[in-house]
């Protein structure tokens, strides 16, 4: 990576680890920024990768942050992102989170229900505020196509149904400590067809304009969600970003013509970080069972549940390769598994790899999003792996691996 052999990094930092190419991260952000409408503000969804250094690279390039917990909020601030460039969203905000939302001076708090609106109003009153900016999250009533995980058109714990929101006109008028600035909708994740994203953007902006007129609330900020996908599996193709940008431009121009001075926010997690990351694990054992060759590594489900695909019906492989030997002739299928005592702990099934020996490194690519943050890191008490970022030719440890002592120190032994 950037001229540094990954084998050297593995020696220096140990395995398994997540390896981030900070320059690829920067390149991805710049590409999105260059192509998307200049009227769109980009917000990085920390959920996809809450590493503070990842967040700092994006923040330094001008990205805002979309956070959903106190720790994510602190991470974004630590990464140098200004409070006014942060939005806080998520169902089930605790009282401490509500108070932090009010006191931090955020761009906006995304409100998920009428009751939460009242809790926010109360917290704002107690803090003597009269203008806490709020976006109302809509659970859209139209179904979206093409998402790996669709949001609209179904009962959801997120946001407010359009019919419910329509009944809030009076309640919204009564707010004295909050200032409703617009609406938010998130249609789902892993969209790979630009047509679907353009369609959703059009529908969300149309609905936001309609609701703001109907409810007599401003439409100064509309958060159109995001959910841009990356291709992981054989039968998938990457999003056509230029086509997406061209289609969205027309829709956004149309909206800004009727709502001059409005801001459109786009939240991106996976798209910004997936490509820059590789999950690196070391082969501990090579063996055969009933005609299948297994390469057993020191990393698996506990760090990279997305690649393992637990919960999905068929096992599909993320792109994988040997980081020790060049791909070439004589590749053979290996099933690459982790150290856990479950048959589901399979990183890749029948992956074509050059001859694999114990000690070799295996890389799972496109792994910079929803890795550690979406994996059961305590499973079998291995703890979370190290994270390393290579930036401008230098390798930095950006997360220290959990040690046995770290794990045990959180427990308490009762006297028997
Ligand atoms: C998860 C989430 C995101 C990020 O989604 P990606 O598909 O990773 O871009 C953005 N907004 C909301 C509301 C989310 O829940």
């Amino acid at each position: 990576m950037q001229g540094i052999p990954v084998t050297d990094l593995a020696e220096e930092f140990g395995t398994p680890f997540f390896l981030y190419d900070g320059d690829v991260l920067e390149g991805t952000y710049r590409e999105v920024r260059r192509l998307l409408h200049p009227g769109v503000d980009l917000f990085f969804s920390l959920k996809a990768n809450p590493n503070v250094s990842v967040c700092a690279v994006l923040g330094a390039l001008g990205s805002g942050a979309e956070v959903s917990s106190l720790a994510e909020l602190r991470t974004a601030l630590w990464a140098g992102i200004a409070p006014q460039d942060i939005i806080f969203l998520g169902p089930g905000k605790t009282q401490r989170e509500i108070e932090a939302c009010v006191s931090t001076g955020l761009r906006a708090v995304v409100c998920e229900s009428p009751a939460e609106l009242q809790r926010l109003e109360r917290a704002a009153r107690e803090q003597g505020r009269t203008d806490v900016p709020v976006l109302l999250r809509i659970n859209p009533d139209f179904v979206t196509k093409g998402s790996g995980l669709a949001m609209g058109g179904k009962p959801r714990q997120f946001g407010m149904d359009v019919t419910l929101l329509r009944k809030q006109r009076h309640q919204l008028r009564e707010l004295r400590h909050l200032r409703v600035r617009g609406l938010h909708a998130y249609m789902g994740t892993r969209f790979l067809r630009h047509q679907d994203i353009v369609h959703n953007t059009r529908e969300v902006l149309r609905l936001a304009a309609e609701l703001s007129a109907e409810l007599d609330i401003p439409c100064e900020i509309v958060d159109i969600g995001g959910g841009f996908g990356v291709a992981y599996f054989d039968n998938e193709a990457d999003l056509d970003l230029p086509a997406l940008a061209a289609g969205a431009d027309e829709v956004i121009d149309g909206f800004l013509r009727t709502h001059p001075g409005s801001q459109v926010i786009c939240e991106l997690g996976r798209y910004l970080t997936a490509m820059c990351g590789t999950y690196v694990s070391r082969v501990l054992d090579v063996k055969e069972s009933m005609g299948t060759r297994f390469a057993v590594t020191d990393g698996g489900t506990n760090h990279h549940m997305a690649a393992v695909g637990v919960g999905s019906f068929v096992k599909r492989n993320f792109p994988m390769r040997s980081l020790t030997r060049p791909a070439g002739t004589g590749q053979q299928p290996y099933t690459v598994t982790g150290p856990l005592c479950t048959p589901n702990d399979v990183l890749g099934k029948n992956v074509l790899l050059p001859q694999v020996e114990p000690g070799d490194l295996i890389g799972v690519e496109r792994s910079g999003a929803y890795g550690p943050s979406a994996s059961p890191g305590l499973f079998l008490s291995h703890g979370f792996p190290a994270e390393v970022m290579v930036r401008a030719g230098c390798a930095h440890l950006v997360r220290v691996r959990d040690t046995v002592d770290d794990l045990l120190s959180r427990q308490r032994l009762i006297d028997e």
Side-chain angles (χ1 to χ4, degrees):
M1 183 173 283
Q2 296 178 29
I4 307 174
V6 179
T7 44
D8 289 2
L9 297 173
E11 284 302 323
E12 185 175 353
F13 299 107
T15 55
F17 64 107
F18 278 87
L19 177 58
Y20 306 127
D21 189 324
D23 296 2
V24 168
L25 178 63
E26 172 171 352
T28 308
Y29 180 85
R30 284 193 188 282
E31 168 94 343
V32 177
R33 186 62 286 175
R34 183 173 65 81
L35 288 169
L36 279 201
H37 196 291
V40 173
D41 275 4
L42 294 177
F43 278 63
F44 170 49
S45 302
L46 266 73
K47 181 176 68 177
N49 189 324
N51 188 282
V52 66
S53 290
V54 168
C55 194
V57 167
L58 295 171
L61 294 167
S63 178
E66 177 253 296
V67 303
S68 298
S69 68
L70 278 182
E72 284 189 357
L73 174 58
R74 286 267 298 275
T75 304
L77 293 168
W78 181 23
I81 297 185
Q84 61 270 24
D85 293 327
I86 300 175
I87 59 173
F88 194 115
L89 67 78
K93 296 181 186 71
T94 64
Q95 193 53 31
R96 280 184 63 200
E97 285 168 344
I98 296 253
E99 284 162 15
C101 281
V102 170
S103 65
T104 309
L106 303 174
R107 170 83 57 98
V109 188
V110 179
C111 182
E112 307 259 352
S113 78
E116 190 180 271
L117 201 58
Q118 293 310 314
R119 292 171 67 208
L120 273 164
E121 167 83 353
R122 226 173 301 131
R125 190 185 65 220
E126 276 158 21
Q127 293 187 29
R129 298 279 306 270
T130 55
D131 58 352
V132 175
V134 165
L135 301 181
L136 304 175
R137 181 166 180 181
I138 317 165
N139 176 28
D141 50 7
F142 54 92
V143 185
T144 51
K145 302 162 293 179
S147 171
L149 193 68
M151 292 285 183
K154 290 195 176 80
R156 287 292 187 216
Q157 70 270 49
F158 311 111
M160 293 170 256
D161 290 358
V162 173
T163 46
L164 176 70
L165 199 51
R166 289 204 162 101
K167 294 182 192 139
Q168 303 301 308
R169 204 184 144 103
H170 180 67
Q171 195 196 13
L172 293 171
R173 203 175 284 282
E174 297 284 287
L175 298 172
R176 293 289 169 268
H177 304 274
L178 307 179
R179 195 153 75 84
V180 175
R181 297 206 59 199
L183 296 130
H184 169 284
Y186 174 73
M187 301 305 302
T189 187
R190 267 180 59 56
F191 288 101
L192 284 171
R193 276 168 35 95
H194 60 91
Q195 298 92 332
D196 294 334
I197 297 172
V198 172
H199 169 82
N200 287 339
T201 302
R202 182 183 296 113
E203 290 301 301
V204 168
L205 289 173
R206 184 191 55 72
L207 185 58
E210 182 186 309
L211 284 170
S212 88
E214 217 175 295
L215 294 168
D216 194 22
I217 54 171
C219 207
E220 300 159 358
I221 305 179
V222 181
D223 187 330
I224 57 172
F228 296 9
V230 298
Y232 292 124
F233 310 120
D234 275 347
N235 57 344
E236 293 179 338
D238 277 322
L239 195 56
D240 184 343
L241 203 56
L244 162 60
D249 263 5
E250 208 183 306
V251 173
I252 289 163
D253 273 336
F255 174 76
L256 292 179
R257 260 198 307 278
T258 47
H259 298 81
S262 285
Q263 271 167 43
V264 176
I265 289 180
C266 183
E267 307 159 351
L268 295 178
R270 187 186 316 273
Y271 195 84
L272 292 178
T273 59
M275 296 296 294
C276 80
T278 305
Y279 179 54
V280 183
S281 64
R282 194 182 286 285
V283 176
L284 299 172
D285 199 359
V286 179
K287 58 198 283 192
E288 237 183 85
S289 167
M290 300 192 182
T292 296
R293 243 183 314 267
F294 286 89
V296 184
T297 77
D298 56 9
T301 322
N302 49 326
H303 300 156
H304 202 345
M305 181 126 131
V308 172
V310 171
S312 55
F313 192 63
V314 276
K315 166 72 189 146
R316 299 189 291 179
N317 296 335
F318 268 46
M320 293 174 70
R321 64 190 178 97
S322 169
L323 299 171
T324 304
R325 295 162 211 275
T329 51
Q331 299 207 112
Q332 301 172 2
Y334 288 87
T335 290
V336 181
T337 66
L340 306 183
C341 304
T342 158
N344 291 330
D345 190 23
V346 176
L347 280 170
K349 203 168 183 171
N350 295 320
V351 187
L352 281 180
L353 294 169
Q355 176 84 26
V356 175
E357 302 284 351
D360 285 5
L361 297 175
I362 305 284
V364 184
E365 298 178 314
R366 301 191 161 210
S367 294
Y370 301 104
S373 72
S375 299
L378 295 180
F379 202 23
L380 268 88
S381 297
H382 287 290
F384 284 96
E387 295 172 43
V388 174
M389 181 186 287
V390 180
R391 183 74 171 135
C394 276
H396 308 269
L397 183 63
V398 294
R399 184 186 175 97
V400 180
R401 167 188 319 287
D402 284 355
T403 64
V404 171
D405 284 339
D406 289 334
L407 295 163
L408 298 191
S409 68
R410 310 300 299 171
Q411 299 194 46
R412 298 293 179 266
L413 176 64
I414 58 166
D415 288 329
E416 275 296 332

